[in-house]
Amino acid sequence: SPEGTSLRGEVGELVCTRPWPGMTRGVWGDDERYLETYWRRFPGVWTHGDWASVDEDGYWFLHGRSDDTLNIAGKRIGPAELESAAVGHPAVAEAAAIGVPHAVKGEVAWLYCVLAPGAEATAEEIADAVAHELGKAFAPERVLFVSALPKTRSAKVVRRAVRARALGLDPGDLSTLENPEALEEIARVA
């Protein structure tokens, strides 16, 4: 929980209260950055920066980066949760969720979706599926369809580049992208 108490049955920060043999001992040449990144959020507790949950059977689930969180109308959610709800629709093969500034709500979600070969769906159907899974508050404001999402060579979707292109901002270093041309379509459909 935000107060640093242990949680079961809901999503919280992944932390370790005891060291283990393979634990990182520092960030090369920047001890202060290491302490700030991993140790200062909850004193004496190593915080990794991932959302996790443990179910009633003791199985652990990772839900994405906690530092990559959307704040929609005062409610926090990880983009991976929105993406998972979208991919739960049978027509959606892949999805990337981004937070977009909104004057009233603070931030709203946009979902970029790649449809499965031969599948069809409307933006409204996908938004309804997400709202059904996560609650009405998390229904994306926009669902946009693209043929591909920008990925690294290890097939990780680069959300920061999607968000930057969608908002007309500089996406920064794209040298790790396998398919930078996917960003052109991201900008075009926005």
Side-chain angles (χ1 to χ4, degrees), residues 96-183:
I98 60 167
V100 174
H102 187 276
V104 176
K105 298 178 182 178
E107 197 169 33
V108 293
W110 286 10
L111 265 174
Y112 281 88
C113 296
V114 176
L115 294 178
E120 291 184 21
T122 66
E124 186 177 344
E125 289 170 350
I126 306 302
D128 287 348
V130 172
H132 178 75
E133 178 78 20
L134 301 174
K136 276 186 163 182
F138 297 115
E141 181 178 86
R142 295 184 71 192
V143 175
L144 305 121
F145 297 103
V146 292
S147 58
L149 296 170
K151 296 179 185 177
T152 64
R153 287 172 191 85
S154 60
K156 182 176 189 264
V157 173
V158 183
R159 284 190 205 102
R160 68 163 177 82
V162 172
R163 184 177 189 278
R165 273 293 152 75
L167 299 178
L169 305 171
D170 177 9
D173 180 18
L174 301 177
S175 62
T176 62
L177 287 186
E178 180 76 16
N179 60 338
E181 67 280 357
L183 289 172

Side-chain angles (χ1 to χ4, degrees), residues 1 42-44 57 68-69 81 93 103 106-107 121-122 127 176:
S1 76
F42 305 111
D57 297 321
D68 189 14
T69 303
E81 292 174 85
E107 197 169 33
T122 66
T176 62

